[in-house]
């Protein structure tokens, strides 16, 4: 059985979507092939330090430290089975930009940008992402 390819998308691909990628890899890497991209990424940027700190505390391993931002593209959209936007307005932008792949796009909810809000806000963001992924995994039947 092949693993479903899940592409997480936020704006810069240095915090929320990147965290979601590594959370899913940690939770269900045997069932899903997770990746991430940004709507307006600075390609090659590293993950935000706040995000690295929370993933260091919560996940086994440190592959997230190697993360580099990627720009959303038609190729990435085509390759994905499911495209998960961090907010509904991002999902709308993705559907409008890639109408041929609109049926692949879902929203994880309203996962807001926690930067510059401190570690507590980042912890809440992590928990919201993990809860959203858990709901997605439970609703996705093989």
């Amino acid at each position: 059985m092949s693993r479903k390819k899940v592409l997480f998308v936020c704006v810069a691909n240095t915090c929320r979507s990147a965290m979601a990628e590594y959370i899913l890899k940690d939770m269900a890497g045997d069932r899903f092939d997770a990746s991430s991209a940004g709507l307006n990424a600075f390609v090659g940027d590293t993950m935000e330090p706040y995000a690295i700190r929370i993933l260091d505390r919560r996940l086994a391993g440190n592959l997230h430290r190697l993360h580099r931002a990627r720009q959303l593209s038609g190729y990435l959209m085509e390759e994905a089975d499911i495209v998960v936007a961090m907010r509904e307005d991002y999902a709308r932008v993705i559907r409008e930009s890639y109408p041929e792949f609109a049926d692949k796009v879902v929203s994880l909810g309203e996962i807001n940008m926690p930067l510059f809000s401190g570690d507590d806000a980042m912890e809440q963001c992590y928990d919201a992402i993990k809860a959203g992924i858990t709901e997605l995994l439970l609703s996705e039947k093989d």
Side-chain angles (χ1 to χ4, degrees), residues 4-8 32 77 79-84 104-106 136 140:
K4 286 190 178 189
K5 294 179 182 178
V6 179
L7 176 65
F8 293 100
F32 295 92
M77 292 291 296
E79 290 294 305
D81 296 311
I82 305 168
V83 178
V84 183
K104 295 182 178 187
V105 181
V106 298
L136 173 70
E140 286 297 318

Side-chain angles (χ1 to χ4, degrees), residues 22-142:
Y22 293 98
I23 291 168
L24 180 56
K25 286 178 178 178
D26 187 67
M27 290 174 66
D30 59 329
R31 291 180 51 207
F32 295 92
D33 181 11
S35 64
S36 60
L39 292 170
N40 192 22
F42 289 105
V43 175
D45 273 7
T46 60
M47 195 181 293
E48 291 291 339
Y50 284 64
I52 290 171
R53 280 199 303 275
I54 186 77
L55 294 180
D56 282 348
R57 287 195 298 265
R58 299 275 195 111
L59 302 181
N62 60 5
L63 285 178
H64 56 278
R65 290 180 162 272
L66 302 175
H67 177 81
R68 296 295 178 265
R70 298 189 309 164
Q71 178 64 38
L72 183 63
S73 68
Y75 174 78
L76 293 176
M77 292 291 296
E78 183 176 355
E79 290 294 305
D81 296 311
I82 305 168
V83 178
V84 183
M86 293 294 108
R87 293 171 42 106
E88 184 53 44
D89 53 338
Y90 302 166
R92 188 172 46 256
V93 168
I94 296 166
R95 288 184 196 109
E96 290 170 1
S97 299
Y98 301 96
E100 66 274 31
F101 304 117
D103 61 328
K104 295 182 178 187
V105 181
V106 298
S107 173
L108 202 59
E110 294 299 318
I111 310 295
N112 292 312
M113 184 65 121
L115 290 181
F116 313 116
S117 300
D119 284 352
D120 288 342
M122 188 60 69
E123 294 277 352
Q124 292 172 2
C125 181
Y126 177 97
D127 291 338
I129 291 169
K130 187 170 182 179
I133 287 173
T134 300
E135 186 175 321
L136 173 70
L137 293 174
L138 293 175
S139 70
E140 286 297 318
K141 306 295 182 229
D142 289 329

